[in-house]
Amino acid sequence: MTNNVPSEFEIFPWNRNFETGIDDIDQQHKVLVNILNRLAWHFASDTSELTSDQILDELLSYAAFHFKFEEAIWNKALSEDEMARNHHDAHQMFFVQVEELRNSREPQEEVLTRLFDFLTRWLAFHILESDRRMALTVELVQQGLGLSEARNRVDSELSGSASVLVNALLEIYGKLSSSTIQLMREKMARLRAEDELSRIQHERLHQALEEQALEYQQHLETLAYTDALTGLWNRNGIVRRVREYLGEEVRPENSAALVSIDLDNFKDLNDCLGEDAADRLLGLLSRRWLDAIPADACLARTGGDEFALLLPDANHAESRLEALRLTARQPFELDGVEVSAGFTAGVVLFPDGAVEDADILLRQADNTLYRAKHEMRSGWLYLDAGERSQYRARQLLLEDIRRGLNQDEFRLYYQPKVNLRTGEVLGLEALIRWQHPRKGLLSPIHFLPAIEHHTLNIQVGEWVLRESLRQLQCWDEQGANLNVSVNIAANHLQSDNFTGSLSQILAGFPDVDPARLDLEILETAALGELDKAVKMINDCRQLGVTFSLDDFGTGYSSLSYLKRLPVNTLKVDREFVSGIEDNSENLSILQGVIGLSRVFGKQVVAEGVETVRQGEILLSLGCECAQGFAMSPPIEATRIPAWVTNWQTFPEWALTRASENP
Ligand code: C2E
Ligand code: CA
Ligand code: CA
């Protein structure tokens, strides 16, 4: 409701003519008039029925009190006179009539109008005529007049002009009240109508705005999910559609197929006809394909000349693809030249059971397409069950690794790197393990290959860096001042911000001298873009860290390459150490590697020293530094301080003098 509803009004204003001269009675009359006015207000403003009813109850009960009070005065002054009895009967009639009106079955509105009309007239009459008469009579009796004489006097006083006045007043009040109420009701109705109108207008406006917002949203969606060139869905669009499809409650058995399509020789066509014509071909082809696929299928352009197709009914995949092939083959007219198109496709049938992610399905289709492109010139291939389960297993492992990282399930074991002759502990190689909640302690072969090309590898690598620096700090506190080597994966080393992130990690351990950290990298990791690798290694060395070339000898590095790579140390792969006792070929390789490292001024560390004899041979070749089971396997960090304290080199090695080196 609006605020412009008038406040309560007096339909029945108090008038001095109402006064009887008896104070108490006049006060009570005022209360009655007030209640009547309130009732009129509620009636006119059409508030709840309940309120009118409550006010009416109030009126009745106040009237009962008032009548009793009044009658007591009359009776006292006029002692049980007939006049007083009549007055009492008139009072009782009042209740009877009100009840009768109230219980009427006529429409509410009608009843209220009549009730109100009755009440105003009755009250006016009760006050102006009946009570006045009584009060005057009482006054005269109290002045000493006999009762019948007093009554005669009153009769004559209230006849003639006085009775005309009373009748006129009654008439006026009657009319005034009913027309005022009528006016009020009309006014209130108009106000309500205005309110309703403004509410409706407001609603309309709101609705219009909502419609506009919806349109805008639809427009945005169109932009986000469709391909402007062809009007087909784009990659996001089909992923969304596949996701919706996967989310459907009931999917028919052997349901959908997802097809990744790549046009054959599109690049040639582009070069030869120009981009515009090529674009036109994409548009025309899209239109033809849209006509060739069933209504429930979904076709998208996912890249330049790449398309994806969702077929909810995989049973007909073969014939649908055949139809696409035939329509593409029909010649297209482009600037007077006739061309036709062919394509290669990878098809993935939706798995029956476990619901896979839409992204994964599309990637599987893409991978199958790439395999198809290698194996055939044109046509389509299906993802086979073996591939699917392999793919699935890898996805699960990735998920598990991610979870393991979050749950802090990875551990670092440490393997000492020593000087065989002096026994000095040069450092410890950090080697990752996974304390898997179900599978137990896993060595890296069980999980690192799965993330070899994945960004997760970087997360793992950063964890290893941080954890080994934290461990150094921890050993420092225990009085063991040690160095650590960390294996850096190829994609981690080649990641955009390797140097920056390394320096940030180092900054987190201000008490650890970066020179105590050695990074073991693989030849293959640095092989890619040599200039870039050299710059990156030099940048990192500026931070203080050193570099080792891991698994040295297994790669293909040319001598010139080795010369340019700014690493400090070469770690000779264990392949060349094993069997040196009786493998003369390995022995000469080792000899060569060691000689080479001298020429280039690099340190050499031999990996995989398992026997005392192997150590002796290495020493005799001039290689003093080594790692291997002969000294210690990788062990937990907590065991390192004790190992360092107890470790003594073998007497056979200690006896070798440096001068014996060739
Ligand atoms: P790697 O860098 O060549 O590490 C040496 C591997 O040889 C370790 O295997 C070690 O346990 C094993 N080994 C050491 N001494 C001997 C020995 O005398 N005889 C024999 N037979 N083996 C020995 P592990 O710990 O299973 O690690 C395997 C590979 O996983 C490592 O080869 C390294 O390439 C990779 N790796 C381990 N930890 C990490 C890591 O934190 N980050 C990265 N990126 N790679 C890691
Ligand atoms: Ca290593
Ligand atoms: Ca190695």
Side-chain angles (χ1 to χ4, degrees):
M1 274 270 161
T2 49
N3 308 328
N4 52 347
V5 174
S7 54
E8 301 196 7
F9 70 104
E10 288 198 336
I11 190 174
F12 208 94
W14 185 258
N15 182 304
R16 289 213 47 204
N17 284 309
F18 293 160
E19 282 167 15
T20 58
I22 301 174
D23 260 3
D24 284 338
I25 290 185
D26 286 343
Q27 285 312 314
Q28 289 175 11
H29 283 162
K30 280 186 185 168
V31 173
L32 282 174
V33 164
N34 175 280
I35 297 176
L36 190 72
N37 278 326
R38 273 162 51 212
L39 188 64
W41 162 251
H42 279 281
F43 177 40
S45 62
D46 209 13
T47 48
S48 74
E49 193 187 312
L50 183 74
T51 342
S52 300
D53 242 14
Q54 279 173 342
I55 297 173
L56 196 58
D57 283 342
E58 194 186 331
L59 177 71
L60 291 177
S61 79
Y62 195 82
F65 156 76
H66 166 65
F67 292 163
K68 215 169 150 195
F69 184 90
E70 220 178 52
E71 284 170 23
I73 293 180
W74 304 157
N75 283 333
K76 193 168 155 228
L78 312 174
S79 48
E80 305 297 322
D81 176 70
E82 187 203 339
M83 192 180 167
R85 269 201 314 278
N86 284 346
H87 198 87
H88 171 77
D89 290 345
H91 286 165
Q92 291 316 110
M93 276 311 287
F94 167 78
F95 294 115
V96 172
Q97 274 172 300
V98 170
E99 277 311 310
E100 202 179 280
L101 274 171
R102 253 184 141 179
N103 295 335
S104 157
R105 287 170 174 267
E106 285 174 57
Q108 176 85 13
E109 166 101 17
E110 187 89 350
V111 173
L112 278 171
T113 315
R114 279 175 54 203
L115 181 67
F116 202 78
D117 197 46
F118 167 76
L119 286 173
T120 38
R121 280 166 196 280
W122 179 84
L123 193 62
F125 182 80
H126 169 82
I127 296 172
L128 288 170
E129 162 55 50
S130 159
D131 284 1
R132 241 166 157 242
R133 180 175 294 269
M134 292 298 280
L136 277 173
T137 312
V138 168
E139 199 186 320
L140 291 172
V141 167
Q142 276 165 354
Q143 280 169 15
L145 240 62
L147 188 55
S148 60
E149 204 180 336
R151 262 167 46 185
N152 287 338
R153 185 88 83 63
V154 169
D155 277 347
S156 72
E157 246 180 58
L158 290 184
S159 65
S161 62
S163 103
V164 170
L165 176 73
V166 166
N167 283 328
L169 271 173
L170 271 176
E171 188 71 10
I172 289 167
Y173 272 107
K175 283 206 173 123
L176 204 64
S177 65
S178 64
S179 56
T180 309
I181 285 188
Q182 194 51 40
L183 273 173
M184 275 310 297
R185 289 180 72 91
E186 278 167 15
K187 176 164 188 188
M188 298 306 289
R190 204 192 72 228
L191 288 176
R192 269 194 303 274
E194 280 171 2
D195 259 5
E196 179 67 6
L197 191 67
S198 77
R199 193 183 59 77
I200 289 174
Q201 281 171 338
H202 189 78
E203 248 173 34
R204 285 255 174 82
L205 184 70
H206 197 73
Q207 200 181 340
L209 283 175
E210 260 181 11
E211 273 165 17
Q212 228 174 37
L214 197 72
E215 248 173 54
Y216 190 60
Q217 188 186 337
Q218 276 164 353
H219 182 64
L220 284 179
E221 280 204 359
T222 316
L223 288 182
Y225 293 111
T226 54
D227 169 48
L229 179 66
T230 58
L232 300 177
W233 294 106
N234 61 17
R235 192 174 180 98
N236 288 337
I238 196 161
V239 165
R240 186 176 65 157
R241 184 65 201 96
V242 171
R243 204 164 279 151
E244 279 167 7
Y245 181 80
L246 289 171
E248 273 166 24
E249 294 268 309
V250 267
R251 279 192 283 138
E253 225 169 285
N254 185 26
S255 54
L258 188 61
V259 189
S260 179
I261 300 170
D262 186 76
L263 298 186
D264 298 332
N265 311 318
F266 189 73
K267 203 184 158 303
D268 298 345
L269 203 128
N270 216 335
D271 291 347
C272 153
L273 290 178
E275 212 170 289
D276 278 354
D279 279 355
R280 241 176 309 136
L281 175 74
L282 290 174
L284 292 171
L285 180 67
S286 301
R287 210 118 307 278
R288 281 193 199 173
W289 276 357
L290 271 183
D291 288 339
I293 58 171
D296 61 352
C298 172
L299 181 65
R301 187 169 79 114
T302 52
D305 63 336
E306 287 164 18
F307 294 81
L309 173 67
L310 170 68
L311 289 169
D313 182 1
N315 290 316
H316 297 106
E318 201 58 25
S319 58
R320 301 291 179 211
L321 287 166
E322 193 55 42
L324 294 191
R325 199 173 68 88
L326 291 174
T327 36
R329 221 197 244 163
Q330 298 299 312
F332 296 87
E333 264 265 350
L334 293 172
D335 302 334
V337 184
E338 273 199 355
V339 291
S340 68
F343 65 86
T344 309
V347 187
V348 172
L349 300 176
F350 281 33
D352 285 338
V355 173
E356 310 218 13
D357 185 69
D359 263 326
I360 293 179
L361 283 172
L362 193 52
R363 255 183 284 146
Q364 285 180 342
D366 288 343
N367 288 344
T368 313
L369 164 66
Y370 293 132
R371 191 163 62 82
K373 287 216 283 195
H374 274 291
E375 292 176 15
M376 49 180 62
R377 232 171 54 82
S378 192
W380 45 87
L381 257 188
Y382 285 78
L383 176 80
D384 66 41
E387 271 181 305
R388 177 194 292 286
S389 70
Q390 235 179 37
Y391 195 91
R392 183 94 199 119
R394 177 162 175 267
Q395 290 300 324
L396 289 176
L397 183 55
L398 286 182
E399 275 311 306
D400 206 21
I401 292 172
R402 207 169 277 133
R403 186 198 52 74
L405 261 179
N406 287 331
Q407 307 277 321
D408 210 16
E409 289 171 3
F410 289 95
R411 306 279 177 266
L412 287 184
Y413 274 45
Y414 295 89
Q415 186 179 38
K417 177 170 71 179
V418 301
N419 182 304
L420 300 174
R421 193 173 54 80
T422 64
E424 185 192 354
V425 180
L426 304 165
L428 300 143
E429 179 176 4
L431 294 157
I432 196 167
R433 303 288 180 265
W434 184 3
Q435 188 62 60
H436 195 278
R438 263 182 309 110
K439 300 175 186 163
L441 191 70
L442 299 180
S443 62
I445 185 74
H446 291 108
F447 54 94
L448 288 189
I451 56 172
E452 203 180 325
H453 302 292
H454 199 277
T455 51
L456 208 48
N457 217 4
I458 299 173
Q459 268 169 272
V460 170
E462 290 181 344
W463 176 83
V464 174
L465 282 168
R466 242 180 243 113
E467 173 59 17
S468 51
L469 290 169
R470 191 195 64 76
Q471 190 56 58
L472 280 187
Q473 219 171 28
C474 186
W475 284 325
D476 284 350
E477 284 158 17
Q478 297 169 33
N481 196 257
L482 300 161
N483 303 326
V484 77
S485 298
V486 166
N487 293 283
I488 303 294
N491 69 336
H492 187 193
L493 188 77
Q494 288 159 356
S495 65
D496 282 341
N497 188 30
F498 181 78
T499 319
S501 126
L502 176 68
S503 91
Q504 218 172 16
I505 291 171
L506 285 166
F509 300 88
D511 297 337
V512 178
D513 180 359
R516 291 164 67 190
L517 176 65
D518 181 61
L519 302 183
E520 298 192 5
I521 62 173
L522 293 168
E523 273 182 86
T524 43
L527 215 63
E529 289 169 70
L530 186 61
D531 290 339
K532 230 175 115 185
V534 169
K535 179 176 182 319
M536 203 271 301
I537 292 172
N538 280 327
D539 288 348
C540 290
R541 284 180 65 167
Q542 289 287 311
L543 297 173
V545 302
T546 58
F547 278 85
S548 297
L549 201 57
D550 210 351
D551 297 356
F552 183 67
T554 57
Y556 314 94
S557 42
S558 68
L559 290 182
S560 64
Y561 179 86
L562 187 62
K563 203 170 101 183
R564 288 190 54 200
L565 213 55
V567 297
N568 312 71
T569 307
L570 303 178
K571 290 190 85 172
V572 183
D573 196 68
R574 95 162 169 259
E575 190 187 318
F576 306 109
V577 176
S578 70
I580 38 173
E581 297 95 327
D582 38 37
N583 184 329
S584 58
E585 199 188 330
N586 271 1
L587 189 67
S588 51
I589 291 175
L590 216 51
Q591 225 162 1
V593 167
I594 292 165
L596 212 68
S597 67
R598 282 237 175 80
V599 174
F600 293 128
K602 316 269 185 210
Q603 269 248 29
V604 181
V605 175
E607 290 184 325
V609 177
E610 294 181 352
T611 64
V612 175
R613 182 75 196 118
Q614 286 170 351
E616 284 179 318
I617 297 170
L618 284 167
L619 280 167
S620 75
L621 294 174
C623 173
E624 294 195 342
C625 302
Q627 247 176 274
F629 291 171
M631 290 74 88
S632 169
I635 54 176
E636 288 115 301
T638 47
R639 292 174 55 198
I640 290 291
W643 184 89
V644 171
T645 313
N646 296 331
W647 154 251
Q648 275 181 339
T649 190
F650 294 94
E652 295 89 329
W653 296 347
L655 287 175
T656 339
R657 277 180 289 118
S659 58
E660 284 177 28
N661 296 340

